[in-house]
Amino acid sequence: MRWLLTARVRRGLIGAAVLFLLLEAATRAEIVSPTYLPPASTVLLTTGGILTDPAFLADVGGTLTAWAIGLTIATAIAVPIGLILGSSWRSYLASTTAIEFLRPIPSVALIPLAILILGRGLDMRVSLIVYASIWPILFNTIYGIREVDPLAKETARIFGYGRVAILRLVSLRWASPFIYTGIRISAAIALILAISTELIAGGGSGIGIWMLRNSETGVPRELLYAGIVVAGLLGLVINVVMEVGERRLFSWHPRVRGNG
Amino acid sequence: MSAVGGASRQRVAARVGSQVGGLLLRVSVLAGLIVAWQVVTVAVDDRVFWPTPITIGARFWEVWVTNPDAWVSSLLPSVLRLLVGWFAATAVGVGVGTIVGLSPRARDYFDPIIQFLRSIPPPALLPLFIVLLGIGSEMKEAMILFGVVWPILLNTADGVSSVDPLQRDTGRAYRISRVDQLVRIILPSAAPKIFAGLRVSLSIAVILMVISELYAATDGIGFFLVQAQRTFRSLDVWATIVLLGILGYALNVVLGLVEGYILSWHRGAMRTRE
């Protein structure tokens, strides 16, 4: 098992290295003018440079602030609604049509409307992040609550627990990994929305704002590309942290343990 | 009139009644929301920013239904871009996904690259695509392709690698050609997972279509939207959001029909297995 792991890591590194060399060769061959497409190694060096630049880190902080606030509010709204819709078939049926109509509205289409109504500040960004992040959390909560082992609920009932206690002690706990998966999906969506709103609305601080500033003519292109690399790294870090958190938090759950 | 007939008629009436009741229940929250929206907007009386749903509906009809010019200048270019990007992503995603799914070794080589590229929020690439491809349709199609290819690719890889080994061994034992194995055994049994990926990617495609047009365009729904916003025609913004909601919904319905048609054999097969 140990050597298998290292073979995997080795192959992964080889794959990444080959891609990097191909990019480096393509950019050094100057198929596209280097003012537009600087060499891959230059971009990599610049990435290291901006990661220690306090001004850039402030922009990363701006994006992450909107991201965190939006994701928290979305969770606070979606989980209670999901609990109700998941535990009552009637309330679920009553809201399906409303959900079917609201969900397909692409969140970014709301950006112009939100700019008109809320301006270009943090509250506009957060509202859009909330709107886009609600859906995966809501649906995962509904499915999670429905998946609860009826036997567990019956057992709790026999031991004399009331409805609310069962919901809190049995259903919510059982559904928690599902809810967490929803939050994990929404974390990626929230980052997309955070950067989209910055790119389209401008103003304030954020990676998108930083990119806007650096996509103007006269600014060395590698800065823009380094910003994209950082955006990718940010997405990757968020995903990895959420995945590790999933394993840590829910190792007790039969679903996660792998024998559910 | 016999008592039996009366009873059965009563039962039919009860069933119709419960169906009507079910329908009422289904639309109740939506209807409630719309009524509340109407009441609130009438009370607020802010025609610029909070038009009533009735005004929005009327404007939607005016701008997007009875206006062929808007179809040609906005709806058509947008939908074309969306479809080109999405079909290209399907070809690339299913192709690469099949390779990666068939060979664990290839998966090892590609995995870090895929994970990194997948993590880049697609809008962050807008400035890059504009530098490389300009602000025409190609830029938007490339953007859609890049953004939606990952769910298709990963789902295909997952579906292909979890094909029943017995089926693959049978194919090999009968010396069915590799191409036939791929087309007749592997891809069909991966099809349900591939479709799940296509479904996710379609809604992302709508989002990316809009955002690429919001950022830089000379036509399309997103362009219309941003023009309306810049000239403070908020009613048009509302009407266009309605259009995009309907568009997203319609695309999903069409994909659902195609999926139902293509996968009908699959459901039959699952039933006989049970």
Side-chain angles (χ1 to χ4, degrees):
Chain A
M1 197 60 208
R2 213 184 153 80
W3 70 268
L4 200 101
L5 196 76
T6 52
R8 252 188 83 185
V9 172
R10 203 178 58 223
R11 283 182 192 144
L13 287 175
I14 291 173
V18 167
L19 180 75
F20 178 77
L21 289 177
L22 281 178
L23 281 176
E24 180 72 13
T27 43
R28 290 272 177 208
E30 300 188 1
I31 303 165
V32 182
S33 157
T35 37
Y36 289 119
L37 213 56
S41 51
T42 315
V43 173
L44 209 62
L45 282 177
T46 315
T47 308
I50 58 171
L51 277 177
T52 52
D53 174 10
F56 177 72
L57 292 180
D59 277 322
V60 174
T63 301
L64 285 179
T65 308
W67 172 84
I69 299 175
L71 197 59
T72 311
I73 297 177
T75 310
I77 295 174
V79 171
I81 298 180
L83 278 179
I84 296 169
L85 299 189
S87 45
S88 148
W89 191 249
R90 199 163 260 278
S91 64
Y92 176 74
L93 270 186
S95 10
T96 41
T97 334
I99 292 176
E100 290 284 304
F101 269 93
L102 282 176
R103 191 167 62 130
I105 297 177
S107 40
V108 291
L110 297 174
I111 295 178
L113 184 68
I115 291 176
L116 279 178
I117 294 175
L118 298 169
R120 289 166 191 269
L122 187 65
D123 45 350
M124 179 276 287
R125 291 186 202 167
V126 168
S127 327
L128 288 167
I129 294 172
V130 169
Y131 179 84
S133 315
I134 274 184
W135 307 108
I137 307 177
L138 178 66
F139 286 104
N140 274 281
T141 308
I142 294 175
Y143 291 135
I145 293 290
R146 285 214 197 120
E147 286 267 320
V148 176
D149 189 357
L151 193 67
K153 278 199 280 191
E154 292 297 322
T155 311
R157 200 166 297 145
I158 288 166
F159 277 104
Y161 286 104
R163 257 180 90 99
V164 177
I166 293 175
L167 198 66
R168 197 166 54 86
L169 294 173
V170 181
S171 302
L172 198 57
R173 265 191 211 177
W174 184 275
S176 53
F178 293 87
I179 299 174
Y180 188 88
T181 305
I183 297 176
R184 192 160 64 100
I185 298 169
S186 290
I189 297 178
L191 188 64
I192 294 180
L193 259 289
I195 294 182
S196 304
T197 50
E198 289 162 10
L199 278 172
I200 289 182
S205 70
I207 299 179
I209 308 295
W210 189 86
M211 282 179 171
L212 277 183
R213 277 202 301 270
N214 287 298
S215 59
E216 282 159 15
T217 41
V219 180
R221 285 279 163 235
E222 49 264 33
L223 278 171
L224 175 62
Y225 297 132
I228 295 172
V229 173
V230 173
L233 287 176
L234 204 59
L236 200 63
V237 168
I238 287 176
N239 208 9
V240 168
V241 167
M242 297 290 279
E243 257 176 36
V244 171
E246 186 164 30
R247 257 174 273 144
R248 283 273 167 90
L249 286 172
F250 304 112
S251 51
W252 53 270
H253 197 282
R255 276 277 164 145
V256 179
R257 234 165 35 206
N259 53 2
Chain B
M1 193 190 291
S2 72
V4 179
S8 81
R9 199 174 301 153
Q10 241 170 18
R11 218 174 298 137
V12 169
R15 203 189 302 149
V16 170
S18 78
Q19 269 174 3
V20 170
L23 196 70
L24 283 179
L25 184 66
R26 266 163 205 273
V27 297
S28 58
V29 171
L30 182 67
L33 282 176
I34 292 177
V35 170
W37 185 10
Q38 176 76 24
V39 170
V40 169
T41 45
V42 167
V44 169
D45 195 29
D46 177 351
R47 259 171 238 170
V48 181
F49 291 122
W50 295 105
T52 65
I54 293 177
T55 343
I56 294 171
R59 185 68 189 163
F60 166 73
W61 194 261
E62 214 175 312
V63 177
W64 290 113
V65 182
T66 57
N67 184 7
D69 286 351
W71 291 43
V72 178
S73 70
S74 299
L75 192 60
L76 208 62
S78 289
V79 173
L80 269 179
R81 280 168 199 151
L82 185 137
L83 291 179
V84 170
W86 185 72
F87 277 114
T90 306
V92 175
V94 172
V96 179
T98 308
I99 297 170
V100 172
L102 282 178
S103 152
R105 201 177 269 254
R107 183 167 213 152
D108 289 350
Y109 283 117
F110 283 111
D111 196 47
I113 301 171
I114 293 174
Q115 294 305 333
F116 176 70
L117 292 180
R118 183 172 78 106
S119 304
I120 302 176
L125 290 166
L126 266 172
L128 170 68
F129 279 131
I130 289 175
V131 167
L132 294 180
L133 297 170
I135 64 161
S137 281
E138 295 85 7
M139 178 273 279
K140 280 136 204 150
E141 286 149 10
M143 169 91 183
I144 294 171
L145 164 65
F146 181 88
V148 308
V149 75
W150 312 111
I152 306 176
L153 195 159
L154 294 173
N155 271 36
T156 306
D158 191 26
V160 165
S161 65
S162 56
V163 171
D164 187 356
L166 187 70
Q167 289 181 350
R168 287 184 63 179
D169 289 345
T170 311
R172 222 169 288 145
Y174 279 96
R175 303 213 175 147
I176 297 171
S177 76
R178 279 177 160 241
V179 175
D180 273 356
Q181 281 188 38
L182 184 68
V183 176
R184 287 166 196 260
I185 302 175
I186 295 169
L187 285 181
S189 52
K193 283 221 171 108
I194 297 177
F195 267 101
L198 290 179
R199 193 169 274 272
V200 174
S201 69
L202 193 58
S203 50
I204 305 176
V206 178
I207 291 178
L208 293 179
M209 171 199 87
V210 175
I211 191 165
S212 63
E213 291 176 350
L214 284 179
Y215 190 74
T218 50
D219 59 0
I221 302 174
F223 178 70
F224 180 89
L225 205 52
V226 84
Q227 290 298 102
Q229 175 228 316
R230 284 190 186 143
T231 48
F232 294 96
R233 285 180 284 132
S234 63
L235 193 54
D236 286 352
V237 174
W238 281 102
T240 309
I241 290 169
V242 173
L243 172 80
L244 284 166
I246 293 174
L247 183 67
Y249 187 75
L251 285 170
N252 221 349
V253 168
V254 171
L255 183 66
L257 290 176
V258 173
E259 183 181 349
Y261 178 72
I262 292 182
L263 295 185
S264 54
W265 63 270
H266 178 256
R267 263 173 228 118
M270 293 309 275
R271 221 173 289 133
T272 46
R273 198 181 282 177
E274 273 162 14

